[in-house]
């Protein structure tokens, strides 16, 4: 929000620099996004009086002798048609900086530095300036838009800096207002804060006016939707004289970005910026039925707004109507059918409070936004509504542009606009802040903030101003105190239950980081997905309708249908990631995600869901196979000295999205962690043609307790290890992992088993397969003899023979 320093000074005596005031605003909770000097680009421009003015024959130029007071008298060539002897104009001396304009003398093209030059061979020591060349327009200073020199007052002192004379010594504050302070969305609101911060009294704008005895009859104002319009004020003003606003008003409106239109319209805009109260003026002759009615729009009811846009309304929209038709969109914009025109003679001024949520929804639904709607959306108090109307009527009288009548209409839902008492405990506020604010400072601060405080023992009683609807309880009062007392007084302290720790990661965090580093070492990239997914994702991986994973918690207000349920497993997100990568030209890759799944016992949930950590891995490419995924898991297990075992699923239907012959469940001991397997061929063909993918999902809730970063050193064996190769003939349904486990369980000295060959062919009978293993035996206290090794092998073969009916080849 733009605030001119000169406007603030009307309400507060400011004796600090603009930069110091910026710091004060920061200290009391208002971020000044930018602080800008109006004439920052202009320098070396002074008042000059033309003492002599001689035309140059056959040209439009004049040679002028210009008196610049203590700076001296300079010869300047000028081509403006309004230069004359005795006139006073801005003079840019040699070395000055002004704006360079285009050939149209209006468009600014940059900043230029004035140099000594020659025009038609005549030396010129400076430049006489137009209003545009020093950054002015007609609203900022009268006569600035003339395509010639800017005429200065005759009483201006020669050689004086031109900035204070034309208002270029002003400063603009662009202040960010937080959502909880709608009362500060105005110049007066910021002035209240500045007065409190500086300890200066606030000078309120004049609100008085004199109403004549004339009455508008018959005329009525009704509100049919008080829940959307808790207060509506209308006032009749006659004998309107449409004209130009005074220079001071046009300047202030221009500084805050509003173009002057006419005195009546400018008054409504001025009150909007000064008090933060949106207003509207209706041309009385266009109000049919001698009535104003605030109601919900009828379905399909049309309105054309002041910007000539037509809308079809619904009952969700609030409108201001006369006795026949809508004449304004409540809180947004007036209707074209009741606008102020040059021949308007009588008007009805409107000031109201509209429900912020209704204005916001209507503005968004219609795509129609305005300064008024922006103000209403942030919230407005009814006290300011009353002040705004009084201020507008005062300005009507001050500007002499109409006669204020006694016809005043006010409809309210009964809400009070008086101060309300609030008592709080000083001790509790000090405890909340963690410091003790002296009672005298409490009284000073709350008095400066216009809270009329009283202290009785430990009780502080304040009278909350009616414009401070954000003040509700003791923490709000504490916030007011500390922002004015100074946040610098707060000292860091520990919470009651706080403990001093050495910092760093705990064991679980270290193990999780090591897990991720292990996966990255295998070429995997970590991914992060939303915690939501689409119900269609369950169909994508062909989960049965009765699958427990389909019991997903639905979001009440989802971003979209694709993100409408909480994830119960990570696999669908990984499948979508694989598809997305391949379709965007990334033909191969390795991804993993560590995230939570959300499991509820009932749908809809009657209790918070169980949040379970899970690990998902996806490998994809044109030649990706099952053993690529298994190798990643083996490397992960090795980094934590774990041993994963793999078993064929007892129920292949549990994984309908995986290939039934290339799927395994992952175990540590008897604990099932999850699964690893190849994406089913038909899904690959439909989702990622000419590519394959290996998917894995493990429960970190089960895996993390098994991880340990503490490893104990095992000395190398003092005696040589012995390796033997075994070729075994087994049924082709036997799984390698089962054979390895059986062999290790059969002999304590067998420390490692590795498969190095699998054969199926004509040389062995149908239904059989040959599997060749390397067995490693490690001695403890003596070297193994051949007889001992033979006994170990015999023990292993005996165990395998009983369990699998194997034959040694």
């Amino acid at each position: 929000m733009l605030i001119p320093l000169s406007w603030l000074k009307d309400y507060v005596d400011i004796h600090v620099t603009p930069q110091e005031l910026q710091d004060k605003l920061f200290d009391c909770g208002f971020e000044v996004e930018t602080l800008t000097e109006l004439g920052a680009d202009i320098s070396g421009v002074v008042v000059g009086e033309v003492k002599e003015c001689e035309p140059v024959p056959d040209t439009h130029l004049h040679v002028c002798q210009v008196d610049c007071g203590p700076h001296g008298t300079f010869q300047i060539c000028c081509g403006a048609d309004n230069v004359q002897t005795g006139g006073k104009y801005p003079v840019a001396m040699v070395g000055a900086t002004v704006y360079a304009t285009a050939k149209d003398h209006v468009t600014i093209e940059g900043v230029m530095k004035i140099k000594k030059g020659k025009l038609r061979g005549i030396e010129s020591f400076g430049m006489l300036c137009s209003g545009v060349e020093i950054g002015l327009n007609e609203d900022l200073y009268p006569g600035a838009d003339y395509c010639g020199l800017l005429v200065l007052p005759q009483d201006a002192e020669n050689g004086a800096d031109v900035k204070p004379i034309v208002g270029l010594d002003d400063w603009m504050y662009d202040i960010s207002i937080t959502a909880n302070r709608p009362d500060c969305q105005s110049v007066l609101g910021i002035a209240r804060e500045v007065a409190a911060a500086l300890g200066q009294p606030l000078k309120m704008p004049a609100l008085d006016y004199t109403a004549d005895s004339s009455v508008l009859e018959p005329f009525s104002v009704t509100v049919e939707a008080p829940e959307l319009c808790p207060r509506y004020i209308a006032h009749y003003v006659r004998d309107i004289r449409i004209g130009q606003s005074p220079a001071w008003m046009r300047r202030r409106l221009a500084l805050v970005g509003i173009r002057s239109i006419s005195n009546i319209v400018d008054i409504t805009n001025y009150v909007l910026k000064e008090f933060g109260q949106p207003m509207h003026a209706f041309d009385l002759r266009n109000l049919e039925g001698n009535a104003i009615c605030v109601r919900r729009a009828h379905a399909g009811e049309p309105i054309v707004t002041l910007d000539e846009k037509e809308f079809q309304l619904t009952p969700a929209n609030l409108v201001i109507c006369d006795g026949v038709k809508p004449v304004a969109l409540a809180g947004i914009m007036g209707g074209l059918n009741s606008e102020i025109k040059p021949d308007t003679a009588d008007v009805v001024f409107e000031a109201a409070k509209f429900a912020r949520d209704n204005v916001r929804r209507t503005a968004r639904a219609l795509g129609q936004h305005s300064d008024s709607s922006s103000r209403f959306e942030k919230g407005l108090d009814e006290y300011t509504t009353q002040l705004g109307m009084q201020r507008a009527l005062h300005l009507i009288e001050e500007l002499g542009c109409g006669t204020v009548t006694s016809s005043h209409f006010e409809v309210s839902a009964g809400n009070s606009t008086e101060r309300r008492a609030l008592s709080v405990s000083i001790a509790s506020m000090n405890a909340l802040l963690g410091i003790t604010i002296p009672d005298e400072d409490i009284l000073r601060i709350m008095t400066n903030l216009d809270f009329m405080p009283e202290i009785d023992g430990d009780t502080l009683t304040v009278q909350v101003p009616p414009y401070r609807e954000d003040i509700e309880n003791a923490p709000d009062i504490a916030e007011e105190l500390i922002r004015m007392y100074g946040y610098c007084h707060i000292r860091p302290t520990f919470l009651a239950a706080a403990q001093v720790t050495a910092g760093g990661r705990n064991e679980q965090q270290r193990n999780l980081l090591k897990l991720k580093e292990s996966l990255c070492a295998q070429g995997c990239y970590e991914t992060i997905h939303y915690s939501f997914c689409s119900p269609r994702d369950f169909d994508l991986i062909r989960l049965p309708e009765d699958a427990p994973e389909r019991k997903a918690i639905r979001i009440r207000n989802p971003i979209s249908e694709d993100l409408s349920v909480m994830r119960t497993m990570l696999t669908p997100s990984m499948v979508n990631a694989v598809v997305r990568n391949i379709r965007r030209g990334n033909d191969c890759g390795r991804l993993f995600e560590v995230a939570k799944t959300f499991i509820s016992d009932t749908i809809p949930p009657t209790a918070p869901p169980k949040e379970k950590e899970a690990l998902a891995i996806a490998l994809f490419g044109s030649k990706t196979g099952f053993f690529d995924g298994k190798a990643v898991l083996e490397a992960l297990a090795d980094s934590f000295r774990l041993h994963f075992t793999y078993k064929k699923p007892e129920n292949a239907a549990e994984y309908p999205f995986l290939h039934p012959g290339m799927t395994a469940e992952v175990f540590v001991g008897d604990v099932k962690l999850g699964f690893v397997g190849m994406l089913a061929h038909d899904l690959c063909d439909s989702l990622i043609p000419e590519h394959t993918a290996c998917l894995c999902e493990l429960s970190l809730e089960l895996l993390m307790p098994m991880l340990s970063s503490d490893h104990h050193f095992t000395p190398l064996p003092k005696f040589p290890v012995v390796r033997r190769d075994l070729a075994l003939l087994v049924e082709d349904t036997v799984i390698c992992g089962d054979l390895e486990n059986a062999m290790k369980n059969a002999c304590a000295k067998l420390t490692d088993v590795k498969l190095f060959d699998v054969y199926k062919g004509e040389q062995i009978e149908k239904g059989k397969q040959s599997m060749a293993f390397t067995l490693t035996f490690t001695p403890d206290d003596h070297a193994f003899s051949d007889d001992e090794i033979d006994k170990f092998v015999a023990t292993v073969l005996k165990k395998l023979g009983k369990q699998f009916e194997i034959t040694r080849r």
Side-chain angles (χ1 to χ4, degrees):
M1 183 180 64
L2 295 175
I3 302 289
L5 178 61
S6 58
W7 201 344
L8 280 177
K9 288 182 175 180
D10 268 12
Y11 313 127
V12 188
D13 291 330
I14 299 175
H15 303 298
V16 298
T17 66
Q19 292 77 15
E20 289 173 333
L21 181 59
Q22 178 186 28
D23 294 338
K24 291 283 187 183
L25 288 169
F26 268 117
D27 291 342
C28 60
F30 295 92
E31 179 186 0
V32 179
E33 295 184 345
T34 57
L35 173 59
T36 307
E37 183 185 3
L38 283 186
D41 294 330
I42 307 301
S43 66
V45 181
V46 300
V47 177
E49 181 181 358
V50 177
K51 294 296 187 179
E52 298 178 13
C53 182
E54 298 293 333
V56 178
D58 301 325
T59 72
H60 69 289
L61 299 176
H62 292 79
V63 179
C64 304
Q65 301 299 321
V66 184
D67 178 11
C68 294
H71 303 287
T73 299
F74 304 100
Q75 175 175 293
I76 298 176
C77 286
C78 176
D81 61 2
N82 65 333
V83 63
Q84 60 182 1
T85 302
K88 293 191 176 184
Y89 314 100
V91 177
M93 299 180 294
V94 174
T97 55
V98 295
Y99 292 113
T101 60
K103 291 182 180 180
D104 60 5
H105 301 291
V106 175
T107 306
I108 293 176
E109 293 186 334
V111 178
M112 66 177 180
K113 187 174 183 179
I114 301 301
K115 300 178 181 179
K116 182 178 70 172
K118 286 186 178 182
L119 292 176
R120 299 293 181 97
I122 303 172
E123 289 188 324
S124 182
F125 299 88
M127 184 177 78
L128 294 170
C129 300
S130 67
V132 175
E133 288 167 333
I134 57 175
L136 298 174
N137 59 35
E138 191 68 25
D139 285 340
L140 289 174
Y141 193 85
D145 278 355
Y146 182 73
C147 188
L149 301 182
L150 178 66
V151 179
L152 299 177
Q154 282 298 309
D155 59 355
E157 182 181 351
N158 292 352
D161 187 355
V162 80
K163 287 184 182 181
I165 298 172
V166 298
L168 288 177
D169 60 338
D170 206 351
W171 293 77
M172 294 295 298
Y173 293 84
D174 189 355
I175 303 175
S176 176
I177 308 298
T178 54
N180 67 319
R181 293 302 304 274
D183 60 296
C184 291
Q185 293 279 345
S186 64
V187 178
L188 181 61
I190 294 297
R192 290 190 186 112
E193 297 297 320
V194 171
L198 299 179
Q200 297 290 331
L202 177 71
K203 295 178 282 187
M204 280 291 292
L207 302 175
D208 60 299
Y209 61 90
T210 302
D212 72 2
S213 58
S214 57
V215 178
L216 180 62
E217 289 184 345
F219 196 86
S220 65
V221 174
T222 57
V223 177
E224 295 181 1
E227 73 281 5
L228 302 182
C229 178
R231 188 174 296 271
Y232 189 91
I233 304 175
H235 201 107
Y236 168 51
V237 179
R238 64 180 178 85
D239 299 335
I240 293 296
R241 293 175 287 281
I242 300 294
Q244 188 181 55
S245 298
W248 62 266
M249 180 176 284
R250 287 186 283 117
R251 171 181 167 76
R252 287 184 174 177
L253 290 176
L255 288 176
V256 295
I258 296 180
R259 179 177 58 87
S260 175
I261 298 175
S262 68
N263 47 12
I264 298 300
V265 176
D266 287 354
I267 285 173
T268 62
N269 288 330
Y270 190 85
V271 172
L272 169 64
K273 293 299 181 181
E274 184 181 38
F275 278 79
Q277 173 62 53
M279 296 193 66
H280 189 65
F282 297 104
D283 191 328
L284 179 61
R285 64 186 170 180
N286 294 326
L287 297 180
E288 301 181 64
N290 294 321
I292 284 180
C293 178
V294 185
R295 61 169 174 81
R296 292 180 181 271
H298 303 313
E301 194 168 27
I303 187 173
V304 179
T305 51
L306 287 171
D307 55 0
E308 300 183 1
K309 294 180 182 179
E310 184 172 356
F311 301 98
Q312 301 297 318
L313 306 179
T314 71
N317 309 134
L318 189 68
V319 290
I320 314 300
C321 302
D322 58 17
V324 177
K325 62 188 182 300
V327 292
L329 266 175
I332 300 176
M333 190 174 290
L336 189 63
N337 54 11
S338 62
E339 70 172 330
I340 301 300
K341 297 180 180 178
D343 60 345
T344 296
D346 302 281
V347 301
V348 174
F349 274 99
E350 166 200 278
K353 176 180 179 177
F354 300 114
R356 66 173 76 181
D357 54 343
N358 179 262
V359 174
R360 180 168 55 250
R361 285 195 293 266
T362 297
R364 288 183 178 180
L366 300 179
Q368 185 75 343
H369 298 273
S370 64
D371 286 344
S372 293
S373 67
S374 174
R375 184 67 184 85
F376 278 116
E377 288 176 20
K378 293 178 175 66
L380 185 70
D381 60 273
E382 297 180 41
Y383 174 72
T384 299
T385 301
Q386 294 176 327
L387 293 187
M389 178 59 77
Q390 295 171 29
R391 180 60 171 164
L393 298 177
H394 170 85
L395 290 172
I396 288 287
E397 191 169 83
E398 181 181 335
L399 272 57
C401 55
T403 301
V404 180
T405 73
S406 57
S407 292
H408 183 85
F409 307 88
E410 186 163 351
V411 180
S412 92
N415 300 323
S416 174
T417 56
E418 301 297 325
R419 293 175 179 267
R420 50 194 169 85
L422 177 63
S423 296
V424 298
S425 167
I426 296 176
S428 65
M429 289 194 301
N430 286 334
L432 178 64
L433 297 173
I435 60 174
T436 299
I437 301 179
D439 288 358
E440 56 270 23
D441 286 320
I442 293 176
L443 289 172
R444 173 183 58 82
I445 291 170
M446 299 312 290
T447 299
N448 290 344
L449 288 171
D450 193 28
F451 276 71
M452 301 172 62
E454 293 180 1
I455 293 180
D456 183 8
D458 182 53
T459 302
L460 168 66
T461 301
V462 297
Q463 303 296 323
V464 180
Y467 53 83
R468 291 300 304 272
E469 294 185 343
D470 59 306
I471 302 297
E472 297 179 352
N473 48 36
D476 294 330
I477 299 296
E479 181 184 3
E480 293 299 297
L481 286 172
I482 195 59
R483 71 185 183 89
M484 289 298 176
Y485 188 59
Y487 292 106
C488 58
H489 290 91
I490 295 179
R491 294 290 177 263
T493 57
F494 284 113
L495 296 174
Q499 294 180 343
V500 179
T501 64
R505 297 183 176 92
N506 58 34
E507 183 178 8
Q508 183 177 4
Q509 292 170 330
R510 291 194 298 270
N511 287 335
L512 183 59
L513 179 61
K514 183 177 179 181
L515 179 145
K516 292 182 178 182
E517 290 174 342
S518 174
L519 291 171
C520 290
Q522 297 300 309
C524 297
Y525 289 86
E526 184 174 7
T527 64
I528 299 176
H529 294 94
Y530 286 114
S531 296
F532 322 120
C533 66
S534 170
R536 293 191 298 270
D537 289 343
F538 300 131
D539 298 329
L540 176 69
I541 62 173
R542 303 187 297 204
L543 287 181
E545 292 296 328
D546 59 348
E549 291 83 3
R550 283 189 177 269
K551 295 173 62 176
I553 302 170
R554 188 163 189 86
I555 307 300
R556 286 184 179 177
N557 55 339
I559 299 173
S560 69
E561 184 61 23
D562 290 339
L563 299 169
S564 60
V565 296
M566 304 293 288
R567 291 196 295 181
T568 56
M569 60 187 305
L570 306 185
T571 298
S573 297
M574 298 304 284
V575 171
N576 284 323
V578 169
V579 172
R580 193 161 47 246
N581 272 272
I582 291 176
R583 289 179 178 175
R584 294 181 182 179
N586 188 13
D587 289 331
C588 62
R590 297 184 171 198
L591 309 174
F592 76 92
E593 181 180 16
V594 174
K596 289 181 178 180
T597 58
F598 301 87
I599 311 299
S600 178
D601 295 329
T602 59
I603 297 296
T606 56
K610 300 173 184 175
E611 300 183 19
K612 298 184 177 183
E613 291 275 358
L615 165 67
I617 304 172
L619 287 67
F620 61 94
S622 58
K623 297 181 179 180
T624 299
F626 173 84
F627 290 101
D628 294 314
K630 184 173 180 289
V632 171
L633 292 180
E634 288 297 314
L636 177 62
D638 287 345
S639 65
F640 289 98
R641 303 297 193 270
L642 291 177
H643 177 64
F644 287 167
T645 57
Y646 307 88
K647 298 180 181 179
K648 185 175 181 180
E650 295 180 1
N651 180 15
E654 190 176 347
Y655 310 103
F657 51 93
L658 299 178
H659 189 292
M662 290 183 280
T663 300
E665 293 178 332
V666 184
F667 287 79
V668 172
D670 295 328
V671 179
K672 175 184 169 184
L673 299 179
F675 66 84
V676 59
M678 297 297 294
L679 186 64
H681 290 336
D682 56 338
L683 284 177
C684 288
D685 293 340
S686 61
L687 297 175
I688 49 174
E690 300 180 4
H691 294 78
T692 57
C694 182
L695 304 173
C696 170
E697 183 165 340
L698 305 180
S699 169
L700 284 186
E701 191 176 59
L702 300 175
L703 178 61
M704 290 301 289
M706 302 175 183
L707 305 183
S708 173
S709 56
D710 295 331
H711 300 305
H712 299 284
F713 174 71
T714 301
L716 294 174
K718 296 180 179 179
F719 304 97
V721 297
V722 179
R723 294 183 176 86
R724 289 286 179 89
D725 293 339
L726 284 180
L728 307 175
L729 191 63
V730 298
E731 299 288 338
D732 59 8
T733 57
V734 175
I735 298 174
C736 173
D738 293 340
L739 289 175
E740 289 181 352
N741 291 333
M743 285 188 276
K744 288 179 180 179
N745 292 333
C747 179
K749 303 299 182 180
L750 180 59
T751 56
D752 190 32
V753 179
K754 288 190 179 297
L755 175 72
F756 67 86
D757 183 59
V758 177
Y759 174 75
K760 293 181 181 179
E762 297 179 355
Q763 298 183 18
I764 57 176
E765 61 182 286
K766 190 175 182 181
K768 299 281 187 177
Q769 62 180 336
S770 173
M771 305 179 76
F773 298 90
T774 296
L775 280 59
T776 301
F777 299 94
T778 304
D780 293 329
D781 51 6
H782 68 281
F784 290 143
S785 65
D786 290 342
D787 290 340
E788 287 177 302
I789 295 299
D790 291 340
K791 288 179 181 179
F792 295 154
V793 172
T795 302
V796 170
L797 291 173
K798 183 177 179 181
K799 174 75 173 180
L800 294 179
K802 289 181 179 180
Q803 188 170 348
F804 300 101
E805 298 182 357
I806 62 100
T807 304
R808 184 176 182 180
R809 294 186 66 195

